[in-house]
């Protein structure tokens, strides 16, 4: 059980409001270097769907559960008695009030700036009614040295260690400003032995807890040997401290200074950085406050610059009296460097798991094989050009890129009866989404339907390179029980030629520098159609052999052509093109709203026999 003057100790865990990865990580980095367990047990993020937030604790990764409300988080984590509230000024008040109503939550740090004064007073008053503590608003929070860090308090881990905020010293520090909190913590580390705890109450006119609230806690804390308070121009909170000094409520040495003494050099009222930093009347000026603090018994230097010396003198005096013992400096584990940071600093390297040589999305715009997207569009690159860049890493000449586009057009669709279109339609009528129905269609592409292009290219090229006469090739395949890919069609034949094949041959005859493999394939077709008239060079076969002719015309070696074929690029052309038709069939079914398809019995031969055994 914590003493009533302790808000934070090494077992304190908090609910963090807001999925702000940076301050969450900074809190856990602090936990790691001071050698305590992670200090955040839950995160509240009402608009996020994720159930956990992953972050580092040293080199380990921890999962912090995410909840949609303070109530849910508090119910699930009664061990958390602090809420670090990173909500925006629009929601910080409501979330703070909700947290104060949770029995288990005792302290709320409100980071947001811009909360209306009326609401700030509301948070302060409700906290006081409940005997709870609100730190802020408009604050960075504070640090209980070696025990608990609020959000970003203290700056980088290096700054925290330099300011000895990673282990308790002898001083109780309270400031308004987060920036000056860091500054004073450093001054105290250099001139004394560091703080036990430092709180920045925030720059607004009505903080949830003020200087005196925290000094009273430090007064009770035996570890605190003297106080340092940094007030500022505006408001009268420092006068509450003076009254406590005069009533001997504060007995430990109190070093105090109010910043903003230069205001008197400016004509009229001056508004300094903090919303509350404006002297409405004489007694709110820094000069008046410093004078009054001195009269009340505080140790007040002649200027801000005099603080270090006064802190050192006070520290040395208390050490002399034996009230302060030497602090044993703990070992501070080195905080692991984030990989991304180390990589950027060139401190680490690692083999990459993937290599990409065709595109790059890291710059201002994506590039296709080095060609910026804007150039692709403004430079009039065709779809065939884009394919030649991304698939073949070259910009093909116009006759070749236009051939690619022609292939896509001729294979785009061949009616609803073909296997792929039928599958796509049946899947659509089963209620499958477009992508799933498309996948269903594409899965039918194979050695018999649409997927014979690679095979045709391979075997015709092989036969020709082997010097096989067409009839020898046909005979060889028959002997090996292999069908020739690219030969044969269910409905097309010599008497019912495939228009697509005619168009492709005509284009090649006109535009291709050479069509040696097509010529060979047509010789083979003469042999096969002599047997059966449907054993024509089909559209797969035509595309396959012509693409080999295209690559050969572009200077590809036989080996390079084989690599293109083995990679499956040519069947890829059919899949790319026919996906246009499959999607058309799916959209057609969606438009028609047809019911689930069930095949008619009268179209199925049931040849079922019971096993004899
Ligand atoms: N090579 C050699 N002989 C063949 C071929 C072929 N590609 N195709 C059929 N035959 C022969 C068969 O061996 C059979 O001979 P047999 O009577 O002596 O046993 C005869 O022709 C009939 O065979 P079927 O398979 O019944 O003929 P079908 O007309 O059904 O086959 C098909 C059409 C599936 C396209 C077939 O020719 C084939 O598999 N071809 C190879 C794969 C191919 O090129 N597919 C792409 C088609 S176009 C596209 O999908 C876009
Ligand atoms: C197609 O392009 O789908 C075909 O050539 C196959 C067929 O059966 O029509």
């Amino acid at each position: 059980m914590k003493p009533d003057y302790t808000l934070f100790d090494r077992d304190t865990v908090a609910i963090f409001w807001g999925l702000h990865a940076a301050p969450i990580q900074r809190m856990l980095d602090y936990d790691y270097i001071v050698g305590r367990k992670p200090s955040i047990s839950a995160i509240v993020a009402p608009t996020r769907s994720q159930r956990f937030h992953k972050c580092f604790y040293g080199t380990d990764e921890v999962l912090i559960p995410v909840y949609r409300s303070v109530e849910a988080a508090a119910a699930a984590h009664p061990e958390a008695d602090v809420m670090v509230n990173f909500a925006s000024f629009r929601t910080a008040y409501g979330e703070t009030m909700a947290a104060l109503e949770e029995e288990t939550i005792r302290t709320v740090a409100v980071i947001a700036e811009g909360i209306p004064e009326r609401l700030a007073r509301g948070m302060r008053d409700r906290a006081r009614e409940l005997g709870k503590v609100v730190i802020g608003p408009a604050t960075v929070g504070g640090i209980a040295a070696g025990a608990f860090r609020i959000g970003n308090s203290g700056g980088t881990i290096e700054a925290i260690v330099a300011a000895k905020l990673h282990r308790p010293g002898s001083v109780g520090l309270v400031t308004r400003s987060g920036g000056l909190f860091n500054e004073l913590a450093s001054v105290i580390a250099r001139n004394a032995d560091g703080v036990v705890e430092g709180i920045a109450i925030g720059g607004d006119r009505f903080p949830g807890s003020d200087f005196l609230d925290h000094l009273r806690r430090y007064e009770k804390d035996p570890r605190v040997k003297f106080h340092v308070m940094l007030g500022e121009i505006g408001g009268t909170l420092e006068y509450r401290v003076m009254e406590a000094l005069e009533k001997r409520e504060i007995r430990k040495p109190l070093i105090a200074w109010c910043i903003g003494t230069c205001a008197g050099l400016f004509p009229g009222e001056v508004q300094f950085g903090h919303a509350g930093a404006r002297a409405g009347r004489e007694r709110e000026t820094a000069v008046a406050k410093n004078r009054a603090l001195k009269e009340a018994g505080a140790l007040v230097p002649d200027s801000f610059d005099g603080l270090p010396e006064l802190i050192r003198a006070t520290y040395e005096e208390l050490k002399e009296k034996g009230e302060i013992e030497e602090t044993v400096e703990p070992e501070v584990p080195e905080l692991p460097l984030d990989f991304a940071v180390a990589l950027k600093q060139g401190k680490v390297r690692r083999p990459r798991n993937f290599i990409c040589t065709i595109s790059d999305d890291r710059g201002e715009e994506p590039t296709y094989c080095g060609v910026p997207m804007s150039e692709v569009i403004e430079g009039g690159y065709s779809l065939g050009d884009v394919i030649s860049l991304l698939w073949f890493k070259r910009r093909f000449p116009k006759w070749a890129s236009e051939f690619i586009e022609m292939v896509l057009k001729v294979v785009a669709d061949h009616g609803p009866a073909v296997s792929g279109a039928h599958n796509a339609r049946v899947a659509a009528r089963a209620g499958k989404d477009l992508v799933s129905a498309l996948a269903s269609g594409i899965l039918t592409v194979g050695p018999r339907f649409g997927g014979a292009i690679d095979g045709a290219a391979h075997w015709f090229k092989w036969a020709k390179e082997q010097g096989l006469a067409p009839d020898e090739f046909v005979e060889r395949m028959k002997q090996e029980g292999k069908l020739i890919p690219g030969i044969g069609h269910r409905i097309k034949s010599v008497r019912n030629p495939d228009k697509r094949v005619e168009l492709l041959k005509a284009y090649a005859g006109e535009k291709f520098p050479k069509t040696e493999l097509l010529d060979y394939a047509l010789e083979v077709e003469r042999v096969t159609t002599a047997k059966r008239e449907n054993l024509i060079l089909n559209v797969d076969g035509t595309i396959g052999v012509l693409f080999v002719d295209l690559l050969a015309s572009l200077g590809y070696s036989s080996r390079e052509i084989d690599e293109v074929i083995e990679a499956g690029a040519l069947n890829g052309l059919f899949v790319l093109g026919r996906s246009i038709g499959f999607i058309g069939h799916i959209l057609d079914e969606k438009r028609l709203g047809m019911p689930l398809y069930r095949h008619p019995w009268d179209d199925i031969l049931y040849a079922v026999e019971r096993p004899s055994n």
Side-chain angles (χ1 to χ4, degrees):
M1 184 67 180
K2 286 186 279 203
D4 66 354
Y5 54 76
T6 299
L7 297 182
F8 315 107
D9 65 16
R10 287 174 65 82
D11 295 322
T12 298
V13 287
I15 291 169
F16 191 100
W17 201 104
L19 203 50
H20 297 257
I24 289 169
Q25 187 58 65
R26 291 190 184 112
M27 286 180 67
L28 265 65
D29 285 348
Y30 182 80
D31 301 333
Y32 176 74
I33 67 155
V34 304
R36 61 150 291 168
K37 67 183 179 184
S39 59
I40 299 174
S41 55
I43 293 168
V44 175
T47 60
R48 306 293 285 262
S49 58
Q50 67 196 77
R51 306 297 303 277
F52 288 95
H53 174 67
K54 186 158 67 80
C55 52
F56 285 111
Y57 177 74
T59 54
D60 291 332
E61 287 192 285
V62 294
L63 295 177
I64 302 176
V66 178
Y67 297 86
R68 289 293 183 93
S69 69
V70 173
E71 293 78 5
H77 298 276
E79 74 281 1
D81 66 350
V82 173
M83 185 166 94
V84 177
N85 188 352
F86 266 74
S88 71
F89 74 93
R90 282 178 293 276
T91 50
Y93 169 76
E95 298 303 323
T96 299
M97 299 301 274
L100 290 173
E101 298 311 315
E102 292 299 326
E103 192 182 330
T104 52
I105 295 178
R106 182 180 167 221
T107 304
V108 182
V110 186
I111 311 303
E113 295 191 7
I115 295 177
E117 290 183 354
R118 175 179 55 81
L119 300 183
R121 286 197 299 272
M123 292 190 292
R124 177 198 63 190
D125 298 344
R126 185 57 182 153
R128 284 181 175 162
E129 279 168 25
L130 296 168
K132 299 188 176 184
V133 177
V134 165
I135 297 170
T139 181
V140 71
I143 291 180
F148 186 84
R149 172 190 192 177
I150 298 171
N152 301 314
S153 303
T156 64
I157 289 295
E158 291 77 13
I160 280 175
V161 173
K164 296 181 179 161
L165 286 166
H166 62 294
R167 88 286 179 274
S170 310
V171 181
L173 170 64
V174 59
T175 71
R176 269 203 175 271
S177 147
L180 286 170
F181 165 87
N182 297 351
E183 179 61 33
L184 261 287
S186 295
V187 167
I188 293 167
R190 287 196 300 272
N191 295 280
D193 59 357
V195 300
V196 172
E197 180 182 299
I199 295 291
I201 64 170
D204 283 3
R205 198 165 184 80
F206 301 99
S209 53
D210 64 21
F211 299 112
L212 183 56
D213 294 321
H214 298 292
L215 290 172
R216 279 176 172 151
R217 292 192 302 109
Y218 298 158
E219 188 68 17
K220 290 181 187 174
D221 189 331
R223 298 171 301 164
V224 173
K225 306 302 181 188
F226 65 99
H227 312 295
V228 172
M229 176 180 87
L230 192 71
E232 66 183 33
I233 181 172
T236 56
L237 294 176
E238 292 84 350
Y239 290 94
R240 282 169 38 88
V241 176
M242 297 171 211
E243 287 161 19
L245 280 168
E246 285 154 359
K247 289 190 287 191
R248 302 292 296 152
E249 192 186 342
I250 302 288
R251 294 171 177 272
K252 296 176 185 175
L254 167 63
I255 296 172
W257 180 258
C258 292
I259 59 172
T261 51
C262 61
L265 302 176
F266 299 95
E269 280 188 19
V270 179
Q271 171 71 55
F272 283 76
H274 289 137
R278 176 195 187 99
R281 45 205 162 118
E282 164 59 24
R283 74 190 299 263
E284 290 187 25
T285 63
V287 171
K289 289 180 180 178
N290 287 328
R291 183 182 322 113
L293 278 163
K294 198 163 197 167
E295 288 164 6
L299 300 172
V300 181
D302 296 335
S303 71
F304 179 83
D305 294 342
L307 272 174
E309 184 187 333
L310 187 50
I311 289 167
R312 173 169 295 282
T314 305
Y315 171 69
E316 294 299 341
E317 183 184 342
L318 291 170
K319 263 181 59 176
E320 278 298 309
K321 291 179 181 173
E323 290 186 34
I324 293 179
E325 292 167 9
E326 277 303 324
T327 302
V328 176
E329 294 300 340
E331 280 294 311
V332 181
E334 188 174 348
L335 185 69
L337 206 50
D338 279 351
F339 181 78
V341 173
L343 193 64
K344 202 167 184 179
Q345 293 173 354
K347 291 180 177 169
V348 292
R349 62 188 183 190
R350 68 170 174 178
R352 290 168 176 75
N353 290 308
F354 281 90
I355 301 168
C356 177
T357 67
I358 64 161
S359 63
D360 189 338
D361 60 326
R362 293 171 300 175
E364 283 182 20
E365 59 178 310
T367 61
Y368 294 168
C369 207
V371 182
M373 171 73 73
S374 52
E375 185 180 333
V376 168
I377 301 305
E378 291 151 13
Y381 281 65
S382 69
L383 186 57
D385 290 328
V386 169
I387 291 170
S388 65
L389 285 174
L390 289 175
W391 287 23
F392 303 104
K393 296 178 62 181
R394 294 195 191 183
R395 184 162 187 195
F396 283 173
K398 191 171 171 62
W399 66 267
S401 60
E402 286 186 346
F403 175 73
I404 290 174
E405 291 189 338
M406 184 180 188
V407 167
L408 298 181
K409 291 174 192 173
V410 302
V411 303
D413 190 56
H414 207 230
V418 303
S419 51
H422 180 75
N423 256 35
R425 281 184 174 265
V426 169
R429 288 178 59 170
K432 298 296 283 183
D433 61 281
L434 183 140
V435 174
S436 303
L438 173 60
S440 164
I442 288 174
L443 286 173
T444 64
V445 176
R448 294 178 179 172
F449 162 68
I453 304 176
D454 292 331
H458 169 80
W459 284 107
F460 280 101
K461 177 175 179 287
W462 172 81
K464 185 169 181 297
E465 285 175 349
Q466 294 298 312
L468 294 179
D471 57 350
E472 287 174 330
F473 171 43
V474 172
E475 191 50 33
R476 169 78 74 87
M477 295 294 273
K478 189 165 183 67
Q479 281 168 6
E480 291 179 12
K482 292 189 180 87
L483 296 182
I484 303 170
I487 289 290
H489 201 277
R490 298 305 300 269
I491 56 171
K492 295 300 178 185
S493 66
V494 174
R495 279 183 289 174
N496 173 27
D498 192 329
K499 187 63 181 170
R500 300 170 296 179
V501 171
E502 300 309 311
L503 290 166
L504 290 166
K505 287 192 295 188
Y507 180 88
E510 186 188 339
K511 304 278 188 179
F512 276 41
K514 54 186 178 182
T515 59
E516 291 171 3
L517 196 60
L518 172 66
D519 301 343
Y520 179 79
L522 292 175
E523 291 295 314
V524 172
E525 180 187 46
R526 258 194 281 283
V527 176
T528 54
T529 48
K531 288 187 172 182
R532 289 169 63 96
E533 69 159 18
N534 77 310
L535 296 185
I536 57 166
L537 180 66
N538 60 36
V539 70
D540 278 13
T542 307
I543 294 168
V545 297
L546 281 177
F547 220 91
V548 170
D549 285 334
L550 178 149
L551 296 174
S553 302
L554 295 180
Y556 279 67
S557 69
S558 176
R559 179 76 212 114
E560 288 172 329
I561 294 171
D562 288 342
E563 286 169 1
V564 169
I565 296 169
E566 284 155 26
L570 308 189
N571 283 354
L573 286 170
F574 184 90
V575 170
L576 181 62
R578 187 53 61 93
S579 291
I580 299 167
F582 288 165
I583 291 173
H585 289 291
I586 294 160
L587 294 176
D588 199 27
E589 285 298 343
K590 300 282 182 189
R591 266 191 302 270
L592 295 166
M594 296 288 279
L596 177 67
Y597 175 74
R598 195 178 196 284
H599 203 69
W601 283 337
D602 61 9
D603 189 36
I604 298 168
L605 168 63
Y606 289 91
V608 180
E609 288 180 15
R610 187 186 174 92
S612 54
N613 57 351

